[in-house]
Amino acid sequence: MAMSDYSVNGIGELVVTLPLDSTTKTTIGKNYDAACGNAVALTANNTVGYGSSGDALFGIIKGVEHDGAAAIQVKGFAVDIPSTGSLTVGGNVAVDGTGKVKTAESGTAVVTSADTSNNVCDILL
């Protein structure tokens, strides 16, 4: 089998529903589909958003409702997550404050595949 025949997307996935913070809701606007796949951090009690550069990655947006509630993947494999910079397979990631992930010195999310040509990666939350 070729590597392109393998997919880890969604294995072990756990999704929770939490509100987005007001800054992130404003940034997303009504472009809910474009927010899917973006990285979020905890920004307040049981509230998520794009956070600040270097904040711990909490999860990945799977869907957004018009009222600002978001389905957030908090466990399992996630693929094609937007990324910045050069990531290392086996390394950790944090949020960059814009919905992407970037290299972090520590954390719980691990890069399982990095595509620096397209600035996306696969991670295990």
Side-chain angles (χ1 to χ4, degrees):
M1 286 183 124
M3 282 304 293
S4 60
D5 294 332
Y6 293 95
S7 175
V8 296
N9 192 30
I11 295 174
E13 183 177 88
L14 174 64
V15 177
V16 299
T17 302
L18 293 171
L20 293 169
D21 64 31
S22 60
T23 302
T24 304
K25 282 194 287 191
T26 299
T27 301
I28 291 171
K30 297 197 183 290
N31 199 359
Y32 306 132
D33 290 340
C36 292
N38 286 352
V40 294
L42 281 171
T43 57
N45 291 337
N46 294 320
T47 303
V48 294
Y50 291 153
S52 298
S53 182
D55 285 351
L57 174 66
F58 181 73
I60 303 299
I61 297 174
K62 300 296 279 186
V64 178
E65 297 295 324
H66 70 281
D67 64 355
I72 307 296
Q73 180 181 348
V74 296
K75 292 285 182 199
F77 285 92
V79 300
D80 296 330
I81 307 308
S83 61
T84 61
S86 183
L87 301 178
T88 302
V89 172
N92 298 111
V93 290
V95 300
D96 78 340
T98 69
K100 299 175 183 177
V101 295
K102 68 176 202 162
T103 298
E105 290 196 25
S106 64
T108 58
V110 177
V111 177
T112 62
S113 175
D115 180 348
T116 54
S117 297
N118 295 304
N119 294 321
V120 294
C121 66
D122 298 349
I123 59 174
L124 175 60
L125 291 161

